[in-house]
Amino acid sequence: MPIYRYQGRKLDGSKAAGNVEAATQELAAEALMNKGVIPLQITQGKQNTESGFDWKAAFMPSVPLEVLVIFCRQLYSLTKAGIPLLRSMKGLTQNCANKMLKEALEDVSNELSSGRSLSGAMQMHPRVFSALFTSMIHVGENTGRLDEALHQLASYYEQEVETRKRIKTAMRYPTFVISFIVVAMFVLNIKVIPQFSTMFNRFGVDLPLPTQILIGMSNFFVNNWVLMIVVMISLFVAFKLWVNTARGREKWDHIRLRMPIVGGIVNRAQLSRFSRTFALMLRAGVPLNQSLALSAEALGNKFLESRLLEMKSAIEAGTTISSAAINSQVFTSLVIQMISVGEETGRIDELLLEASDFYDREVDYDLKTLTARIEPILLVIVAGMVLILALGIFLPMWGMLDVIKG
């Protein structure tokens, strides 16, 4: 998340300066106002992800979406029943099983006791409550419809949970097969092939090319397995460090969208999430430019986020939403048509929700057929391994039979 440098004055007139972390400049100003600071100048600094690999963030578990769904549902029920907010938060804190969420709720309860708003208190815990979450809460507080905002958030996160479950279910079989292929290769190269190599050397048989390749690979595995592990770990760490940079993360997110077979699924899933998030923010009454910025951040894809922020700048410069969407070159014709019609009729939120439902159905169908599309590739890989092993082992054994026969 970006860090903004600010200069301003406190309520007593004294000067104030420092840094604040927020998704957009508007949210940074809002956070400062909640702290009692009137901002006079706000400039964007470097993102906190550019300073290197964040080891603490990497090993700190995030709050599961299922936990956030339960929290939103419970707070929605308590708020709708008319129970005071502070009492509701303290009750939810006592019954919370997730340690990270419980600590955040304790701090939120303390901030509420000191007079801070709920959204302002939640903004102090960006790893638990996202910018989208706090913005929805802020709109709900200002409009007196906090219960509706919580209900919309619960429905949004429930949809996200269902999408993730479908993706995990579809990827389970390919992951299982590929894992066993890798394990089988290690076992064959370290345990099985060396035994055959010793036997072939004892008989002095001329080894064919497939057998020589297998024995060469096996010798490399046996003699350099420590080096291979070190290299794999080093490559993994280097990849993580590269992805943790702003340029590396944007490049990797772009590559993900262009991967064969799964790239189209990822792209449609991202468009579905954007459409749903953008419609949710507009329906809640969040300003258009802020809704676009928050929807871009909620995607979790830096390539798409940078294009959407360019789209936001074009809209603020006076370009229509549909023209800016076309120039961004990240939307399909369906989303552009929905935005264009919604812009003319004033029903962008409704049409974007329909587009999101359409993409959800497409992603669901693609995930159901993903295994059928990957199976031929896996079969070719397994068949190739079996063919090489058969040629590499049986050809010299036939030569051994010729030697035995005299």
Side-chain angles (χ1 to χ4, degrees):
M1 192 178 293
I3 295 178
Y4 292 89
R5 300 188 184 95
Y6 70 89
Q7 294 180 356
R9 292 188 178 275
K10 297 182 179 178
L11 297 179
D12 56 2
S14 59
K15 292 184 178 181
N19 298 325
V20 60
E21 187 177 6
T24 62
Q25 192 170 0
E26 293 83 359
L27 290 176
E30 184 180 320
L32 292 173
M33 295 290 288
N34 291 332
K35 293 179 181 179
V37 176
I38 301 174
L40 301 177
Q41 182 180 6
I42 299 177
T43 57
Q44 184 174 358
K46 293 183 178 180
Q47 290 189 359
N48 54 3
T49 56
E50 294 179 355
S51 59
F53 188 69
D54 191 356
W55 294 98
K56 184 178 179 181
F59 291 100
M60 183 182 295
S62 58
V63 179
L65 288 182
E66 293 86 348
V67 176
L68 287 178
V69 170
I70 294 174
F71 167 73
C72 291
R73 288 291 183 190
Q74 291 175 336
L75 189 57
Y76 162 72
S77 300
L78 293 172
T79 306
K80 193 174 182 64
I83 298 176
L85 185 59
L86 181 58
R87 179 183 168 187
S88 301
M89 293 298 296
K90 288 184 176 179
L92 293 176
T93 302
Q94 293 176 355
N95 298 324
C96 183
N98 186 276
K99 183 178 179 181
M100 190 174 181
L101 179 60
K102 186 172 184 178
E103 293 176 355
L105 292 180
E106 288 176 352
D107 290 342
V108 169
S109 299
N110 294 332
E111 293 296 328
L112 288 175
S113 301
S114 61
R116 190 183 295 273
S117 64
L118 179 61
S119 58
M122 287 180 170
Q123 278 183 337
M124 300 172 65
H125 301 275
R127 285 191 55 82
V128 179
F129 306 107
S130 63
L132 182 145
F133 194 103
T134 54
S135 296
M136 289 288 295
I137 296 297
H138 177 71
V139 172
E141 285 179 313
N142 291 341
T143 59
R145 297 183 298 176
L146 181 60
D147 54 344
E148 293 184 16
L150 289 167
H151 186 268
Q152 290 176 335
L153 281 171
S155 301
Y156 172 79
Y157 284 123
E158 283 175 353
Q159 187 70 27
E160 288 293 309
V161 169
E162 290 299 320
T163 302
R164 292 188 181 186
K165 285 182 179 179
R166 292 200 302 267
I167 293 174
K168 288 181 180 179
T169 302
M171 294 303 296
R172 188 173 299 151
Y173 171 74
T175 305
F176 184 78
V177 173
I178 293 173
S179 300
F180 267 88
I181 289 175
V182 172
V183 172
M185 287 183 61
F186 271 91
V187 173
L188 287 171
N189 282 286
I190 294 176
K191 293 293 183 182
V192 178
I193 296 178
Q195 300 295 328
F196 282 96
S197 176
T198 304
M199 182 177 63
F200 296 152
N201 291 333
R202 189 182 305 150
F203 280 87
V205 181
D206 292 334
L207 301 178
L209 181 60
T211 307
Q212 294 178 15
I213 294 174
L214 285 177
I215 293 177
M217 289 178 57
S218 176
N219 292 334
F220 181 81
F221 268 79
V222 172
N223 297 327
N224 302 285
W225 64 272
V226 177
L227 178 62
M228 291 179 62
I229 293 176
V230 172
V231 169
M232 286 189 292
I233 294 175
S234 302
L235 289 175
F236 177 76
V237 174
F239 174 76
K240 284 292 185 182
L241 291 173
W242 176 68
V243 171
N244 201 56
T245 62
R247 184 175 180 84
R249 176 67 183 277
E250 183 175 346
K251 185 69 176 176
W252 171 242
D253 287 340
H254 190 199
I255 293 173
R256 286 170 55 199
L257 297 177
R258 294 181 174 272
M259 285 183 177
I261 300 177
V262 298
I265 300 176
V266 173
N267 191 27
R268 282 188 287 272
Q270 295 280 18
L271 289 176
S272 172
R273 178 185 293 182
F274 166 77
S275 301
R276 190 186 316 118
T277 308
F278 195 29
L280 178 68
M281 302 299 290
L282 291 176
R283 181 167 289 185
V286 180
L288 177 65
N289 56 349
Q290 188 175 341
S291 299
L292 195 56
L294 292 171
S295 302
E297 185 186 359
L299 288 177
N301 187 299
K302 289 297 180 182
F303 174 77
L304 293 178
E305 181 178 347
S306 63
R307 298 298 182 273
L308 291 173
L309 291 179
E310 292 175 2
M311 176 180 168
K312 168 179 171 287
S313 301
I315 293 174
E316 290 175 343
T319 307
T320 61
I321 303 176
S322 56
S323 299
I326 294 172
N327 295 331
S328 66
Q329 297 181 350
V330 296
F331 298 109
T332 61
S333 58
L334 174 67
V335 176
I336 293 175
Q337 289 175 4
M338 291 294 190
I339 291 176
S340 178
V341 174
E343 192 175 16
E344 294 178 2
T345 60
R347 297 168 52 232
I348 294 182
D349 53 345
E350 296 179 16
L351 293 172
L352 283 177
L353 284 176
E354 292 181 8
S356 176
D357 293 338
F358 173 80
Y359 280 123
D360 281 337
R361 289 191 295 270
E362 276 203 339
V363 169
D364 191 31
Y365 175 77
D366 289 338
L367 291 175
K368 288 178 180 178
T369 59
L370 179 63
T371 302
R373 284 182 286 172
I374 292 180
E375 272 182 352
I377 301 175
L378 298 177
L379 288 175
V380 170
I381 294 174
V382 173
M385 288 181 57
V386 172
L387 179 62
I388 293 174
L389 287 172
L391 293 176
I393 292 175
F394 288 111
L395 285 178
M397 291 183 70
W398 293 333
M400 288 171 53
L401 290 175
D402 294 337
V403 171
I404 293 172
K405 291 179 180 179

